[in-house]
Amino acid sequence: MEFEPTEEVKEPPRIHRLDESVVNRIAAGEVIQRPVSAVKELVENSLDASSTSISVAVKDGGLKLIQVSDDGHGIRYEDLPILCERHTTSKLSKYEDLQSIKSMGFRGEALASMTYVGHVTVTTITRGQLHGYRVSYRDGVMEHEPKACAAVKGTQIVIENLFYNMIARRKTLQNSTDDYTKIVDLLSRFAIHHIDVSFSCRKHGAARADVHSVATPSRLNSIKSVYGLSVAQNLIKIEAADNDPSSSVFEMDGFISNSNYVAKKTTMVLFINDRLVECTALKRAIEVVYAATLPKASKPFIYMSIILPPEHVDVNVHPTKREVSLLNQEVIVEKIQSVVESMLRNSNESRTFQEQAVEASPSVPPVTSNDLDVSPLPS
Ligand code: ADP
Ligand code: MG
């Protein structure tokens, strides 16, 4: 078959400016990729508001309803009109502030985005007020004047019908159990890092919470209550630090699983400067050590908190802030990898030694390696 070359030269299409509502909805789809991204933004807002208790309720994997309630400082009445406009924030004033920002949020986009792809209702009360206010938003603006209402301390934000106006997105998210699992996983991660805050997460109307943590001074206790005893009793405490400006400056502390822990998938809970992030390079580096050191080929459980000077972390590299970029990342990864390796070898050797000792003298009570660097867990 032969194609005849087209004689006709195509006219360039006209360029026009997109409607602001289209721009906003497209941008919103990027910030709120799925229900769990909305929950993450809301919980981070609650943390930024100095809450000590945060509870999440979810219907239909978040597509029908997401409700996040906190006991934080609340939102001023005067700010309610611009609360859900794009680029309105209380956390950042000038670009340079990004260098030293401590809050999770700074883009002023999360709430706005939610109003472009869902129906948002805010109930909030600030300290010393006799009553709170409730107001609903659509496409960045209030649907009506805030109404006075009874309220306890803090803020409750409800999102209904997420992605009601994004048919393709809704279709791909129909499997609602999937996102509920992701939400439970997210809250579990927050809970074991922010141990001074109590978290709960449940399906709307359910009596039992699927995540339930109470504030505790012990990280290990928190891991036990969230991930269970089988995880908590098989952890080794790990620490590393460097303070050499020519190579790297960081402090790391956390827990990694020992050789008794068995899992098919890696769980890596990583916070960098208190931000929940992912770092594939670090995860791979640790997995390599586990594969090479442990005979059972189990995948690890890792909780790690890394603190760096704020000016060494670029927090503005991802629309959902899922990743950050670090100065001297390679050096830091290598250093942490070698500390993991030596901790693991030590724990492995003492375990082999203990097992031999147990075999040799059956009268000795069995020894497990959970006494390695792990403070005892209350029963
Ligand atoms: P950002 O967190 O980047 O500032 P958001 O759209 O998430 O942007 O929130 C906008 C503003 O609304 C925040 O800066 C904060 O002042 C206020 N806010 C949002 N959620 C809460 C909350 N749960 N408690 C108190 N203030 C809140
Ligand atoms: Mg925010």
Side-chain angles (χ1 to χ4, degrees):
M1 227 169 39
E2 266 181 34
F3 290 104
E4 284 193 2
T6 17
E7 290 284 297
E8 182 193 346
V9 179
K10 245 190 156 187
E11 290 281 314
R14 290 301 308 272
I15 298 176
H16 58 270
R17 199 166 270 121
L18 280 175
D19 224 30
E20 208 175 293
S21 63
V22 180
V23 176
N24 287 336
R25 204 193 294 179
I26 290 174
E30 200 175 66
V31 178
I32 308 299
Q33 294 175 344
R34 42 192 318 148
V36 67
S37 11
V39 176
K40 178 163 185 274
E41 293 291 341
L42 293 174
V43 170
E44 289 185 340
N45 279 345
S46 298
L47 289 167
D48 283 343
S50 312
S51 307
T52 61
S53 169
I54 300 172
S55 37
V56 177
V58 173
K59 211 191 264 181
D60 257 7
L63 290 179
K64 262 245 154 65
L65 174 118
I66 294 171
Q67 177 185 305
V68 176
S69 319
D70 67 47
D71 63 350
H73 55 51
I75 300 164
R76 286 166 209 265
Y77 171 77
E78 310 85 83
D79 288 341
L80 291 174
I82 62 159
L83 175 70
C84 295
E85 265 176 37
R86 268 186 91 191
H87 312 305
T88 57
T89 177
S90 59
K91 301 167 193 173
L92 183 78
S93 301
K94 48 185 198 307
Y95 183 79
E96 290 68 34
D97 296 346
L98 264 185
Q99 283 240 319
S100 54
I101 196 121
K102 289 251 163 61
S103 55
M104 312 280 122
F106 52 82
R107 301 168 65 105
E109 275 190 306
L111 287 181
S113 301
M114 292 169 207
T115 71
Y116 281 98
V117 296
H119 304 140
V120 174
T121 302
V122 177
T123 309
T124 188
I125 183 166
T126 50
R127 209 168 63 190
Q129 300 300 306
L130 295 175
H131 60 78
Y133 286 98
R134 177 171 300 145
V135 54
S136 299
Y137 295 83
R138 279 252 192 142
D139 298 339
V141 294
M142 297 198 295
E143 287 193 300
H144 52 80
E145 283 300 303
K147 291 181 184 139
C149 66
V152 284
K153 195 177 176 218
T155 303
Q156 181 185 73
I157 298 191
V158 175
I159 310 173
E160 286 162 294
N161 308 320
L162 193 59
F163 304 129
Y164 73 97
N165 52 4
M166 299 175 93
I167 296 170
R169 184 78 59 96
R170 255 195 106 88
K171 281 218 176 99
T172 59
L173 290 168
Q174 287 299 302
N175 189 358
S176 63
T177 50
D178 196 36
D179 253 69
Y180 185 66
T181 313
K182 287 188 163 55
I183 293 168
V184 167
D185 181 60
L186 175 78
L187 268 294
S188 306
R189 287 162 190 259
F190 275 127
I192 65 165
H193 182 68
H194 296 279
I195 54 178
D196 49 349
V197 178
S198 29
F199 290 88
S200 79
C201 177
R202 70 184 75 226
K203 284 191 174 155
H204 186 75
R208 209 189 89 239
D210 297 296
V211 179
H212 181 73
S213 76
V214 286
T216 160
S218 151
R219 174 107 42 219
L220 212 48
N221 263 342
S222 171
I223 296 177
K224 188 181 94 177
S225 79
V226 174
Y227 286 95
L229 183 63
S230 60
V231 175
Q233 71 182 358
N234 287 317
L235 296 179
I236 312 168
K237 188 164 170 48
I238 182 165
E239 277 172 344
D242 193 14
N243 194 6
D244 176 0
S246 68
S247 65
S248 66
V249 182
F250 74 94
E251 276 174 30
M252 179 278 280
D253 78 283
F255 287 97
I256 56 171
S257 52
N258 65 21
S259 53
N260 288 333
Y261 177 82
V262 184
K264 288 207 185 81
K265 245 178 80 192
T266 302
T267 305
M268 173 136 189
V269 182
L270 175 65
F271 283 80
I272 297 183
N273 287 4
D274 292 321
R275 288 169 192 284
L276 177 60
V277 290
E278 277 162 31
C279 177
T280 317
L282 182 59
K283 186 177 169 189
R284 291 274 147 74
I286 298 177
E287 282 178 333
V288 165
V289 173
Y290 271 79
T293 320
L294 297 188
K296 271 192 233 159
S298 169
K299 292 283 169 64
F301 176 97
I302 305 147
Y303 161 79
M304 240 175 226
S305 167
I306 306 177
I307 304 289
L308 295 103
E311 65 275 15
H312 289 190
V313 185
D314 187 351
V315 293
N316 188 32
V317 293
H318 198 276
T320 69
K321 312 182 206 86
R322 191 171 67 201
E323 285 164 28
V324 291
S325 119
L326 311 180
L327 188 67
N328 303 320
Q329 175 167 311
E330 275 169 37
V331 186
I332 297 174
V333 167
E334 254 170 50
K335 292 204 164 140
I336 293 179
Q337 186 186 33
S338 75
V339 174
V340 169
E341 184 169 13
S342 70
M343 292 301 290
L344 221 51
R345 281 198 194 289
N346 284 345
S347 109
N348 220 9
E349 272 159 25
S350 59
R351 184 180 116 101
T352 323
F353 173 74
Q354 283 164 355
E355 278 175 358
Q356 283 166 353
V358 173
E359 274 167 26
S361 54
S363 59
V364 179
V367 187
T368 56
S369 54
N370 66 353
D371 49 348
L372 292 165
D373 295 288
V374 178
S375 50
L377 291 162
S379 54

